[in-house]
Structure formats: C-alpha cells, structure tokens
Amino acid sequence: MTLSENTIPANPLENPEQKAVIDAIIDENLHLNGATMVILNQIQERIGFISKPVQAYIAERLRVPISKVHGVVSFYSFFTTSPRGKHTIKFCLGTACYVGGIDQIIEKAKQLLGIEPGNTTPDGMITLEVCRCVGACSQAPVVVVDENIRGRVQPNKFPKIIQDIQTQEGAH
Ligand code: FES
C-alpha cells in the first residue's frame, strides 16, 4: 500500500534525536500529578505535533489506556496530530463570531484551499484550525492569521488573506 507523506506524518519515534527528546520529557515528568497533560504540552512544543504512534508510546510509558491520552489530545485544540503548516489560520468559533457568520468564512477557506479545518495544505504552507473566543468579539467575525487578529472578515475579503500569505512567501 502506498500512502503519501501528507497522510502519514514522519514518525518522531523513528528519529533518534526526536525520540531522545520524547524520552527525556517522559522520564522527567513521569511521576508528576497530571503527568499526561504536562508531557503532552512539552512534546507539542518541542516536536510540533503528537501523532498516533507517539500517543500510544506515551500511554505505554505512563501505563494508562491509550484512550486517555487520545482523549486529552482531541479535547484541546492546541494539540495537533500532524505537523502544522508554515502559517496558521484560525477561525473563532465563539458566540459573537458564530452569530457574525464565521461559518461562511470557513466555507470560503475550504473552497479556496481544498482542506478542512484541522488540516494542512499539501504544500505544507497553511494549516486551518478553529479556536475559542480570542477576546475580540466586537470585531466579529474574527480569524487569527499566525498571531495577528483580523476582524470583520467577510467571505469576499478572505481570498486577500490567502494572497497576503502567498505574497509574503514569494517575497522571501
Ligand atoms: S467570539 Fe470571536 S472573538 Fe469573541
């Protein structure tokens, strides 16, 4: 069976350097209360994502069911199971943004980029994500491009956001 690199991210456990980082994080925090959360946070930060094999490995080392680790990873949107793209566009799903029509912006993004929130474009350039209220409700609907908040985004303005990212990349 052949699967593209886009569907199967590289397994950090097969990379000796990354495996050493993962082992060190686990060894250091194994006996803490709330070890799962602490370890997941550090692995997300250092490795950049927490793939299924890594979740299974953490569960085995902590002697907890894999469903527990998987449950935590899926509950918090800041954990990702595959590498994030170079740029991230987050859609606020808070009440004000929802009422303000964020779903139409998400539709537009899906149309333009051909991916669903939670995924990355095949060129590794843009990841789409959803997030909770970012505190800019008066500017709803809001998207967060990398760390920058863009308010009052309308579906017809969204292509410009993508273009800006492309221009920025082209300029490098
Ligand atoms: S609901 Fe989107 S910023 Fe508050």
Side-chain angles (χ1 to χ4, degrees):
M1 186 168 62
T2 317
L3 288 161
S4 80
E5 284 174 12
N6 293 325
T7 50
I8 300 225
N11 182 358
L13 297 172
E14 285 167 8
N15 172 319
E17 267 172 42
Q18 292 190 326
K19 175 143 189 318
V21 170
I22 292 171
D23 277 330
I25 292 172
I26 296 176
D27 292 341
E28 220 170 273
N29 300 291
L30 191 60
H31 303 291
L32 293 182
N33 275 338
T36 310
M37 191 66 180
V38 175
I39 289 169
L40 288 174
N41 254 313
Q42 292 192 17
I43 292 180
Q44 175 72 48
E45 201 179 301
R46 299 279 304 277
I47 306 291
F49 63 105
I50 310 167
S51 61
K52 288 258 170 71
V54 173
Q55 293 174 36
Y57 184 67
I58 296 169
E60 186 192 311
R61 294 279 326 265
L62 294 184
R63 301 192 180 173
V64 298
I66 183 165
S67 57
K68 181 179 170 191
V69 176
H70 182 65
V72 177
V73 171
S74 359
F75 186 76
Y76 295 99
S77 61
F78 48 84
F79 292 133
T80 54
T81 54
S82 57
R84 279 192 166 95
K86 202 162 172 196
H87 299 275
T88 307
I89 301 178
K90 294 188 193 130
F91 304 93
C92 175
L93 286 190
T95 311
C97 290
Y98 190 77
V99 172
I102 196 72
D103 53 336
Q104 291 166 36
I105 317 289
I106 295 177
E107 274 313 308
K108 189 76 189 174
K110 279 163 50 175
Q111 241 177 48
L112 286 171
L113 297 173
I115 54 167
E116 299 276 331
N119 293 321
T120 301
T121 52
D123 60 0
M125 196 53 70
I126 300 176
T127 298
L128 297 181
E129 288 181 359
V130 294
C131 62
R132 288 157 210 262
C133 176
V134 294
C137 313
S138 63
Q139 299 178 51
V142 166
V143 303
V144 186
V145 183
D146 296 325
E147 298 306 317
N148 305 316
I149 291 182
R150 303 276 195 99
R152 300 196 181 89
V153 178
Q154 296 304 317
N156 62 357
K157 301 250 182 75
F158 191 79
K160 175 82 169 59
I161 291 180
I162 309 277
Q163 269 169 25
D164 286 351
I165 292 177
Q166 285 164 343
T167 313
Q168 192 185 331
E169 282 305 318
H172 286 173

